[in-house]
Each structure stands twice: as structure tokens, then as C-alpha cells.
Amino acid sequence: MSDQYSFLNTIHFKYLEFLYKKYKENPNLIEPSWSAFFHGFDFGEKNYKKESINTDKERYKEFLEQKNENIHTEFLVYNLIHAYRSRGHFFTKTNPIRKRRKHFPSLDLKNFGLSEKELDTYFESGKLIGIGNTSLRNIINYLKNIYCGSIGIEYMYISNPRKIQWIEKWFQKEKLQFSTEEKKFFLKKLNEAVAFENFVHTKFIGQKRFSIEGNESTLPALEEMIEYTSNKYLTEDIIIGMSHRGRLNLLSNFFKKNYSQIFSEFQGKEYKEKIFSGDVKYHLGFSKIRKTRKGRYIKINLVPNPSHLESVDAIVEGITRAKIDIIYNNNINSEKVIPVLIHGDAALSGQGIVYEVLQLSKLKGYKTGGTIHIVINNQIGFTTNYTEGRSSIYCTDIAKIVLAPVLHVNADDVESVIKAIHFAVDFRMRYHEDVFIDLLGYRKYGHNEGDEPRFTQPSLYKAISKHPNSYHLYKKKLEGIINKNDIMSMEKEYEKILNGGYDEAKNIKWNILNSFLEEEWKNFPIVYNNEEIFKKVDTRFPIDKIIKISNTIFTLPKKKNFFKKTEYIFQQRLEMIRKKLVDWSMAELLAYGTLLDEGVHIRLSGEDVARGTFSQRHSVIKTEEEEEIILLNNIGKGHIKIYNSPLSEYGVLGFDYGYAMYSPYVLTLWEAQFGDFGNGGQIIIDQYISSGENKWKISNGIVLLLPHGYEGQGPEHSSARVERYLQLCANNNLFVVNCTTPANFYHLLRRQMKLKYRKPLIIFTPKSLLRNTKCLSTIEDLSEGFFQEIFDDTYVMDVNKITRLIFCSGKIYYDLLNKKETLQDDKTALIRIEQIYPLKIKKIQYLLNKYKNKKEIFWVQEEPENMGLWSFILRKLGDIISFRLIAPYECSSPSTGSYPDFLKIQNKILEKAFL
């Protein structure tokens, strides 16, 4: 054996002595395989005479002194077993197309100090793998069968030895035997997968379909998942997220969407409901209640997904958590619902949201009891080879950050794929953690069927063109088991179904946009018309109950020890209540409190939301002993859940959007630490929040809280990029609001749950206004008021004196007000746009008519002129108002990084406004 591998032959006797002592104290104190090893040798009873050994120390000393070559070789065999467990996945038969990569050292006997002469020698080490004292030949064959066949297992990095032992026992004991009927069913599903693709390929030449060919076994895998989970674990609900590869095939053959509807979509027909633009067919969602082969019912859901492939991951987890909280009694480890994420290999290793979502998987506010990940691994990303697409060995190496086991499976071997599904389900149900199945296959055509892959991978596609698909491979394997006539009959029957669907599609006049989660949203119609949008909503609440709730949520428990500053904050809040006043954070908490009193549940999540980025909220308070207390949950019917999130925007915002997607009766809020951090979640904002209603007929009531305002904190913490959200506004799809009073904020939050429909709500929340002494409201304002889209100037005493109108939005109003008061100006009216979108133009026209002596009209903003509201206001009101703009000059950065420069710019704006 070469020196390179000599370490495999080395036995550290001191370490063995230490392990043996531990074993004698308690076998559970050491790693299970070592415990089994020592037990297998049974040193005291088998190998040595009892009378010659007086103590364990003497016994072990004598053991070490034995010049027994067999004992020495036993340890070499143990090293071999350990190598198969930890490295066997490198030497599997899992790749149906590409040549196996070479890894060193190999599992050759010579690398372990062994040779063929020991092949028929019996070793106690066989007990470690459950086959007893047996020959080395049997041990190697057994190890190859488990670790180097069509399944490669990665699990030895898991830190929990009991989990490792469970995995090993599962593969040692689980000898899945499939009946003829089951094999026939697997063959049937493979035929459907292949025949569907061939049919579409010939009927709709050149159209994109993102074929599943090369990974056809995904279909029988999912079929077996619903069968196995529903029958063994009584699972009722599976939430699936996947990108476009194979999506149409699964929609038709797994979700049972009508073939005629799919073929109609291929024919490019329009949607009957013109208010929806719809989406391409391979992005659409679907829900179905399926009956399994054994007669149980299970609901399967396919979440809509854009071409930002992995963005759906977070949405799936959010939907699942909502179902756990709402339907399954907050049982995180519920076996009733399972999230399933079907990844592409290139996207899995290349897109950062996968990491973010995995980091959520064990956190109390976001965990969902374990996700089953299935990778449709076609070993290429559009035109990019895996060697150019990742630095890791496997696309699934990201699984190791949460110590999730990974099975690499040859996608051509359908029975191994089914076995992997059984393992994944059993592991998930036992440990309620994530598990990965990497289905190694190939992609038969180019990325989208119209693409020519031979431009970039000529040799690979030469091999693929000669490779039989998994259906033909399995059909050949079942020769003599299943009658050929039965197979022919099965093929013809499915061909007849496809042709029937194709003929039916010709008679379909309009495409139908199926609403995802239709049952959950049946009481919330999609609303577009302005009359309904601007209808006044009653958000009043009795003043005596507001005071009662205030005393409940602003009074600290007397027998608890709190930080002095915490006590001071809550004393100040009670003092303000006695004065019948509330500031911004008090109004927010009272909005939650009143909704909770009415039975509404609330979820608030984001970075540092419990205390609040600006130490303003204190919705979760801690004692000196760090006991967490949420006083809002002492109110009554409703329950609030508040979670500090990890430092993630993309993943967490997607999660909370998914949560809100399933729960129209829950007020779901996500807060960015600073408004510009919303940039990190821009894909969720663009692809889901702003357009989901129009593309997928999906409503959503998520609330985004985005701190915004220029206080000289530099370019990174000034702007929430208001202009970007306004670019996304159309067809009354969003509410975009920049409140300036606590009462208006209070009524806005209450309005969100009082509406008879749901829209995403974007709120630009303040920073300095949180403690501005002018930014206060009365309890009467909370009790008797309502949300106001636009505020007239309440300080104007004589309308006829007004010659200048200043329109503005947000925090700059208070700067303008201070300037106006300093100048004692009675000729200027300050008009605040609170709800920016939808814009209440009729109210603006009313105010223009009210101030009949106006000579000048200004739009004033603190954002540079190429940012903020200006472009939107000009587009919406430019035809009816001749504005003069007062704003900083256009700039590529939102703000200066110098506080003195900021003051100069801000003062210049205020001076111009009152010239």
C-alpha cells in the first residue's frame, strides 16, 4: 500500500483504549458503530479466558498485547466499512449518461491494507452492518449493494449519531419488494410521462414545453409519495413548488388538469376574463383533491412560479406554515401537511434564496416540519455545464448547512427512485427535518425544445440521442413479468386519451385561468373598480375599549424584573394614554390590539421587529431573566405571533407572502429593517406581490412596512425607493401609502382587515417622526376617525388668503410646517398625499377648486427629482395641474453621506418652497 493511504492502516491504540473504557462505563457514551464494534468482539467472553483477567484494565492490556493479526485486520475492515459509508456515493452507478468522475482514494482493498487473500476470511465487523460474522467478500458485496448501486447516500456529516444509526438501519432493513401490480403502475406512469411529451412534440412543433424527458421517473416518484404518505402517515395536504422543467407533464398526469385545457393553452387562445393578463402555461398554479390507489383522499397544490426559478421555495414554506398554524393547530411536526420543493440542479446550486430558505427551516417562526427536496438533475443549465455552474462537487451540497441527508439516485432506475421516496418520507416524518433526493438524469432536447444543444454540448447530446428512455428500460426489465399485450393495451389507451383531449381543445373558445387556492378565497372577490376601491370603510372602535386595551398592553407585570429603560418607556405610554394622546408606535400596537379584540389573528415578521429597529415598538418585552412577554396576547380572541427573522429579505418576504396567500383572515406584516432593504426582496415584489393577481388570479393581503425618510443618515438608510413601487402600480393592484399621523396609520391597518377584498399594502413608515412631538394623535382620532387618502391643511384659517399650494407626501410635511410656522405664513396651504396609489384624483380636484385664489402650485419632495413621487405625480396629474417641482437635483444615489451637506440641501428645499 502506498504511503499516500497509509493513514487508513494506522490504529491509534491509545484512542481505542479511551473508547473501550467509555464503552465499559456506558455503551451509549460512544458513537453507535464503535459500541457495536466492541460488543461484536465481546472481548471478555469470547476472546480471552475469564480466569486470567482480573480487571477491565488488565483485560484490555492483554488484548492490546496480543499479536493477533485477525484483530489488526478487523480494524482494517472497520476502516473499509467506514469508507463505504462516508465515500461510497462517489463510486455509484447513479449517472445514466456521463462518465463517472474519478475520486481518490478509491475503495480498492489495497488502500485499506487488505488483499484478495482475506476475501473468504470471516470478520466480526459484519455485525456493524447487520449481517453478522461473515466473510469479507460478503461484507463488500453488501456494502456495494447499499452504498454503490443506483443510490448514493451522503449522511456521515450529520452530527447526531442516533440519526446516522437510524439511516444505516433503514437501508440495512428496508428491502422493498414491489408487487406485479405496483410495477405495472410504475410502468404506466413512465409511459404517460414519455407519451405526453412525444404527443406535444408532434402536435405543437417548436413550442416551449420544457420537457421532463430524461427525468421521467419524477412522475411515478410523486405518485408513490402521495400513496405512501397518505396510507402510512395519513397525510392530507402536499404543497409543491417547482420551476418549468416537467411542469406541464405533472399538471396533466399528476395534478389531473384537463388535457383539453392544456392543449387549448398551446393553441394560444385568449382568456375570457380580460381583466387578467394571465401567464405562460408552464408558470400556472393548480389545486386538486386526488384519490389514491388505496382509496384515501389527499389535496395536492402546485404553487404558481415565475422564471425566477427558486423564488417559489419561500412561498411554499409560507403557505405550509399558514396551514400548520390555521388548520393543524400550530403543530409544527404535523404529518398532515408536507412541503415538497422540486429543484433544477443549476438553480439549486446557483440561486441564493435556496440558502435563505434552508436557514429558515429550523427557526421557530418559519419551520414547517421538514421539506422533501427533489432535484430534477439534468446536469446542465441552459447551455452551461455543471463544471461551469458551481464550485461544489454536487448541486445538493448546500443541504449540508442544515445537515440534511442526500440521496443521489439514477433517474433511469425507477424502483430505486421509489425506494428513495420511501426513505425521504420516513426520514421527514421521524425527524421533521429536510431531506434531499438528487435524481440524476439528462435533458433530451435543448433548454426549451426550440434550442439547439449541439451548439454547445455536441458530444453529450450525441450520447443522449442514443440513450433509451426510462420507460423503454423498465419495459425491457419487466419482460416476462408483465404481458406484452397488456403493455400495448395500456399504451393505446393513453394515446386515445391524448387524442380525445386534443379534439376537445379545438372546441374550446376561451382559455380558463384557474384560481389557485380557490376555496380559501371564495369570500374575497378580486376588485378593480375605483368606486369599490375608494369606498369609505368603517374602522371606528369604542373609546372605552381602546383605553382598556391600552392599559392591558402598556402595563408591565408587577412581579417581573425589567430593564429600567423598559419600565420608563411603558410608564411614558401610560402617561400619554391619561392625556388621551398616542404616538406612532402606540397607534400601531393599538391597531393590533383592537383587531385582536375583534378576533383577527396577526403575524408580524422581519428583522428586529419584536423591539423595532428604532427601539420604538417593544411588542415583545423581556425580563431581566430574558423571559419573553407579549402583552398583546392578553387581550382576548385573536392571537399575535411576532418573529425576529434572520438577516434575509428575499427568503423571509417570500415566506410571509406565501403565508398571506393562504390566510386572508390573518393580518400578515413584513417589516424591512430600513426601507431600502426591500431591494433584497425585489424579485418577490416584482413577480408576486405586484403582479400575482393579474398573472395568476391570486389575491394577497400582505403588508410591507418600509421605513423611509431623509434625516442625513446617508444614501443607504434614507430611501425605500418609493418610485420603484409606483412603477409597478396598475389596475388598482396595490395600496401604496405614506402616512403622516399615528391615527391615519392606525385606521389604515384596521382598514386592511375590514375590506371585503385583499390587496398588498405598501406602507412607507417614518423614522424621526416616531418621536416627533407634532406627530401625535388623540384617542378620539382613533375611536371616531377613518382612513383619509389626502389631508387638507387644517391650519388654514381663511381659504381666500391662500395663494400658494404645496403638495407633498410623508415626513417632509413636518419640515414644511415648521418652516411655515417660523415665517408665520398664512398664504400657503400644505396638502398631504397619504395614499399615493390608488390616487384619489377627485379629492385633489376638489381641493384645487376650493382654493380659488391660488397662483402657484408646487410639488415638494426631499428625494432627488429622478426619485420619489415626482414622475408618478406628473404622469397622473400633469394634465390638470401645472406643478413647479422643488426637489434636490437628479442624482444616481438617493442621498449625500454628509450630514452638513444634507442640512444644506434640505434647507434649500424649504427656502425655495416659501420664496
Side-chain angles (χ1 to χ4, degrees):
M1 184 173 64
S2 68
D3 291 340
Q4 182 182 359
Y5 308 126
S6 62
F7 73 91
L8 295 171
N9 196 5
T10 304
I11 300 174
H12 301 284
F13 288 108
K14 289 291 182 185
Y15 180 60
L16 289 176
E17 185 175 7
F18 167 77
L19 287 178
Y20 184 61
K21 286 179 180 179
K22 285 282 185 185
Y23 167 76
K24 296 304 292 181
E25 291 173 26
N26 182 351
N28 293 325
L29 293 176
I30 63 173
E31 197 271 331
S33 61
W34 277 111
S35 178
F37 181 75
F38 288 126
H39 178 73
F41 280 117
D42 198 10
F43 299 126
E45 296 293 330
K46 269 187 182 176
N47 296 324
Y48 305 102
K49 294 178 181 179
K50 288 184 179 179
E51 60 269 19
S52 67
I53 301 172
N54 299 317
T55 66
D56 285 337
K57 184 174 181 181
E58 290 172 349
R59 182 188 305 168
Y60 196 73
K61 182 179 179 183
E62 186 171 336
F63 162 69
L64 293 178
E65 288 174 352
Q66 293 291 319
K67 303 299 182 182
N68 190 326
E69 182 61 27
N70 189 50
I71 292 175
H72 176 79
T73 313
E74 287 279 7
F75 281 102
L76 300 183
V77 174
Y78 173 79
N79 283 341
L80 177 68
I81 291 171
H82 182 76
Y84 269 92
R85 288 168 166 171
S86 58
R87 302 181 66 253
H89 57 90
F90 288 136
F91 307 98
T92 57
K93 301 169 185 175
T94 55
N95 201 325
I97 292 295
R98 295 181 187 266
K99 290 182 180 178
R100 191 185 306 170
R101 283 180 288 176
K102 292 185 178 180
H103 294 273
F104 299 95
S106 71
L107 297 176
D108 288 345
L109 288 175
K110 64 181 181 180
N111 292 328
F112 298 88
L114 296 165
S115 64
E116 291 186 2
K117 69 180 182 180
E118 284 96 10
L119 283 175
D120 295 316
T121 304
Y122 275 58
F123 291 96
E124 293 284 347
S125 296
K127 292 180 178 180
L128 296 178
I129 55 176
I131 58 175
N133 187 328
T134 189
S135 69
L136 179 58
R137 190 186 305 276
N138 286 341
I139 289 172
I140 291 172
N141 288 337
Y142 189 81
L143 291 171
K144 283 183 177 179
N145 185 52
I146 291 180
Y147 296 104
C148 299
S150 292
I151 300 177
I153 317 165
E154 284 191 280
Y155 68 101
M156 289 299 285
Y157 45 76
I158 295 173
S159 58
N160 184 338
R162 292 188 182 279
K163 215 175 278 185
I164 290 176
Q165 191 175 36
W166 182 89
I167 292 170
E168 290 171 352
K169 283 185 177 178
W170 194 96
F171 278 96
Q172 287 166 197
K173 292 180 179 178
E174 203 65 40
K175 309 295 183 187
L176 287 180
Q177 299 294 325
F178 301 110
S179 67
T180 301
E181 282 304 308
E182 286 175 315
K183 292 179 179 182
K184 194 173 181 179
F185 179 76
F186 301 153
L187 185 67
K188 177 176 180 288
K189 300 313 290 186
L190 288 175
N191 174 62
E192 288 176 8
V194 172
F196 176 86
E197 299 293 355
N198 287 336
F199 186 85
V200 174
H201 193 65
T202 55
K203 294 292 185 182
F204 305 102
I205 297 169
Q207 284 208 43
K208 294 180 183 180
R209 70 179 193 275
F210 299 100
S211 162
I212 203 173
E213 290 165 288
N215 277 91
E216 302 93 344
S217 54
T218 306
L219 179 57
L222 290 177
E223 289 284 352
E224 185 66 15
M225 181 182 292
I226 63 171
E227 193 74 26
Y228 189 52
T229 55
S230 64
N231 293 323
K232 182 174 181 178
Y233 296 102
L234 306 183
T235 302
E236 298 173 359
D237 218 325
I238 292 183
I239 320 295
I240 298 177
M242 71 178 297
S243 56
H244 46 259
R245 177 69 54 200
R247 191 181 185 98
L248 291 175
N249 205 311
L250 295 186
L251 274 169
S252 60
N253 292 317
F254 179 65
F255 288 93
K256 306 301 181 182
K257 184 174 178 177
N258 287 338
Y259 293 101
S260 59
Q261 192 175 342
I262 292 175
F263 296 151
S264 176
E265 289 165 357
F266 269 107
Q267 291 165 3
K269 294 172 184 176
E270 295 181 355
Y271 290 106
K272 188 173 184 179
E273 300 170 278
K274 298 297 184 184
I275 54 175
F276 302 112
S277 66
D279 198 355
V280 291
K281 49 194 169 292
Y282 40 81
H283 286 172
L284 301 177
F286 203 73
S287 297
K288 184 79 172 182
I289 295 176
R290 281 279 311 272
K291 187 177 181 180
T292 66
R293 302 197 299 278
K294 292 189 177 177
R296 295 192 63 84
Y297 289 93
I298 185 167
K299 187 170 187 179
I300 52 177
N301 308 272
L302 181 65
V303 182
N305 191 34
S307 287
H308 292 270
L309 309 179
E310 298 292 335
S311 63
V312 76
D313 299 356
I315 315 295
V316 166
E317 301 299 339
I319 293 172
T320 305
R321 180 55 183 261
K323 290 201 171 197
I324 288 168
D325 289 351
I326 296 165
I327 298 179
Y328 301 114
N329 301 316
N330 298 298
N331 180 8
I332 303 301
N333 293 334
S334 174
E335 295 176 348
K336 298 291 186 183
V337 56
I338 307 174
V340 177
L341 296 179
I342 303 176
H343 309 271
D345 52 317
L348 177 68
S349 58
Q351 296 188 7
I353 193 172
V354 179
Y355 181 88
E356 293 187 36
V357 170
L358 282 176
Q359 287 290 10
L360 297 177
S361 66
K362 296 185 180 182
L363 302 182
K364 67 177 182 178
Y366 307 90
K367 59 185 176 180
T368 55
T371 299
I372 295 176
H373 301 260
I374 299 174
V375 185
I376 295 180
N377 188 343
N378 50 44
Q379 306 185 68
I380 192 171
F382 202 157
T383 68
T384 304
N385 288 319
Y386 67 85
T387 52
E388 302 165 302
R390 63 176 185 264
S391 296
S392 58
I393 295 174
Y394 295 117
C395 65
T396 53
D397 281 345
I398 195 168
K400 295 172 185 176
I401 65 170
V402 290
L403 305 180
V406 178
L407 303 188
H408 304 283
V409 191
N410 189 323
D412 275 355
D413 186 345
V414 66
E415 291 186 12
S416 290
V417 172
I418 300 300
K419 183 176 181 179
I421 287 293
H422 279 243
F423 170 82
V425 169
D426 287 343
F427 180 87
R428 189 271 180 185
M429 295 306 195
R430 180 177 180 86
Y431 292 106
H432 300 287
E433 294 180 3
D434 290 29
V435 56
F436 284 72
I437 298 174
D438 177 19
L439 293 180
L440 276 100
Y442 54 93
R443 189 187 70 196
K444 184 175 180 180
Y445 299 104
H447 177 67
N448 58 22
E449 288 77 44
D451 170 56
E452 177 51 79
R454 288 176 176 80
F455 284 141
T456 45
Q457 281 83 17
S459 58
L460 173 64
Y461 273 85
K462 187 176 182 180
I464 289 173
S465 66
K466 298 176 183 178
H467 187 76
N469 62 46
S470 58
Y471 172 65
H472 289 299
L473 290 171
Y474 197 48
K475 185 165 67 170
K476 187 174 182 180
K477 182 179 178 180
L478 296 181
E479 285 180 2
I481 298 174
I482 298 177
N483 186 286
K484 286 184 178 181
N485 291 331
D486 289 344
I487 294 175
M488 289 176 64
S489 175
M490 173 193 72
E491 292 174 346
K492 287 180 179 179
E493 183 182 350
Y494 186 65
E495 186 180 356
K496 183 179 178 182
I497 291 171
L498 291 174
N499 281 312
Y502 183 75
D503 291 338
E504 285 177 31
K506 295 175 184 176
N507 300 321
I508 294 175
K509 186 176 181 181
W510 306 100
N511 277 338
I512 299 170
L513 187 58
N514 297 99
S515 179
F516 179 68
L517 299 176
E518 196 168 71
E519 182 65 23
E520 288 77 6
W521 284 88
K522 64 183 178 183
N523 295 325
F524 296 90
I526 292 177
V527 169
Y528 285 95
N529 65 79
N530 280 348
E531 286 184 14
E532 187 67 32
I533 292 288
F534 288 116
K535 188 180 289 184
K536 188 175 176 181
V537 180
D538 187 358
T539 53
R540 292 173 298 171
F541 196 83
I543 193 166
D544 57 329
K545 293 186 77 172
I546 290 178
I547 293 172
K548 182 181 178 182
I549 290 170
S550 298
N551 289 326
T552 299
I553 66 176
F554 300 141
T555 301
L556 295 175
K558 291 181 179 178
K559 295 184 179 180
K560 304 283 186 182
N561 299 316
F562 293 96
F563 183 48
K564 293 297 181 186
K565 286 187 177 180
T566 303
E567 292 178 347
Y568 175 76
I569 289 167
F570 278 76
Q571 287 168 4
Q572 290 296 105
R573 286 176 170 176
L574 288 173
E575 183 61 32
M576 287 185 70
I577 291 298
R578 282 190 281 273
K579 294 177 181 178
K580 302 291 180 71
L581 293 172
V582 294
D583 64 14
W584 192 277
S585 57
M586 292 171 66
E588 178 187 359
L589 295 174
L590 285 169
Y592 301 152
T594 55
L595 287 170
L596 292 168
D597 183 78
E598 293 171 325
V600 174
H601 297 306
I602 301 170
R603 175 186 169 91
L604 171 62
S605 140
E607 295 154 7
D608 311 295
V609 296
R611 190 193 75 186
T613 297
F614 312 103
S615 195
Q616 85 283 5
R617 184 174 287 122
H618 299 284
S619 54
V620 179
I621 49 176
K622 286 194 176 183
T623 65
E624 292 276 15
E625 294 74 31
E626 297 202 10
E627 176 191 355
E628 288 190 352
I629 298 171
I630 301 178
L631 295 171
L632 281 162
N633 281 329
N634 295 337
I635 291 170
K637 303 172 190 173
H639 189 84
I640 188 169
K641 297 180 179 181
I642 302 165
Y643 300 111
N644 283 341
S645 75
L647 200 65
S648 158
E649 291 87 33
Y650 190 0
V652 175
L653 178 55
F655 185 101
D656 286 321
Y657 176 82
Y659 195 100
M661 184 186 285
Y662 180 74
S663 51
Y665 294 99
V666 178
L667 177 62
T668 305
L669 307 101
W670 174 78
E671 182 174 64
Q673 193 176 69
F674 285 87
D676 60 295
F677 286 15
N679 294 350
Q682 199 66 47
I683 288 172
I684 300 298
I685 293 163
D686 289 350
Q687 304 297 331
Y688 287 93
I689 292 175
S690 67
S691 58
E693 186 178 83
N694 194 256
K695 292 191 298 188
W696 305 316
K697 204 176 174 182
I698 290 177
S699 295
N700 198 292
I702 191 169
V703 179
L704 273 60
L705 303 175
L706 306 174
H708 174 82
Y710 282 56
E711 285 98 2
Q713 294 190 51
E716 300 308 317
H717 295 321
S718 295
S719 178
R721 300 288 189 173
V722 181
E723 63 279 355
R724 291 187 183 171
Y725 296 90
L726 295 177
Q727 266 192 330
L728 301 172
C729 292
N731 308 119
N732 293 331
N733 62 327
L734 302 173
F735 287 116
V736 179
V737 181
N738 195 357
C739 293
T740 55
T741 72
N744 222 29
F745 182 48
Y746 164 91
H747 288 292
L748 175 64
L749 292 174
R750 285 181 54 75
R751 184 187 75 164
Q752 186 71 358
M753 299 309 292
K754 298 291 183 182
L755 291 167
K756 295 179 181 178
Y757 56 90
R758 295 287 179 262
K759 301 277 183 182
L761 169 59
I762 316 296
I763 309 177
F764 300 106
T765 56
K767 295 174 287 180
S768 62
L769 294 191
L770 295 171
R771 293 174 178 83
N772 188 313
T773 55
K774 286 186 177 178
C775 188
L776 299 174
S777 297
T778 66
I779 292 182
E780 286 80 5
D781 292 334
L782 271 57
S783 176
E784 297 299 327
F786 59 93
F787 177 72
Q788 298 186 58
E789 291 93 346
I790 296 171
F791 276 131
D792 192 5
D793 194 330
T794 55
Y795 293 95
V796 171
M797 303 302 294
D798 186 350
V799 172
N800 294 320
K801 285 186 177 181
I802 300 301
T803 59
R804 179 190 291 115
L805 296 183
I806 292 179
F807 285 82
C808 65
S809 185
K811 166 243 167 190
I812 198 170
Y813 163 75
Y814 288 95
D815 298 331
L816 291 164
L817 180 60
N818 288 338
K819 186 70 172 178
K820 178 181 174 180
E821 289 176 346
T822 300
L823 297 173
Q824 296 183 335
D825 183 312
D826 61 357
K827 295 179 181 179
T828 303
L830 303 177
I831 299 171
R832 288 169 274 172
I833 308 291
E834 299 281 294
Q835 181 171 292
I836 308 164
Y837 188 85
L839 187 60
K840 200 168 187 179
I841 296 175
K842 286 183 179 180
K843 177 68 178 287
I844 293 171
Q845 289 172 325
Y846 165 78
L847 292 173
L848 290 172
N849 294 331
K850 174 182 174 181
Y851 295 105
K852 295 179 180 179
N853 295 325
K854 61 185 178 297
K855 295 179 180 178
E856 297 175 299
I857 304 175
F858 295 94
W859 177 263
V860 180
Q861 65 179 40
E862 54 190 353
E863 302 88 354
E865 67 172 271
N866 57 315
M867 300 179 188
L869 279 69
W870 172 237
S871 296
F872 173 80
I873 291 295
L874 192 62
R875 181 165 62 88
K876 288 290 183 180
L877 300 175
D879 291 340
I880 61 174
I881 303 175
S882 296
F883 281 114
R884 288 174 58 191
L885 172 66
I886 298 176
Y889 293 119
E890 66 177 26
C891 186
S892 59
S893 177
S895 175
T896 176
S898 163
Y899 187 71
D901 281 352
F902 160 74
L903 290 178
K904 288 178 184 177
I905 294 167
Q906 200 79 345
N907 287 332
K908 192 173 181 181
I909 293 170
L910 299 175
E911 287 170 7
K912 279 186 177 181
F914 290 94
L915 278 177

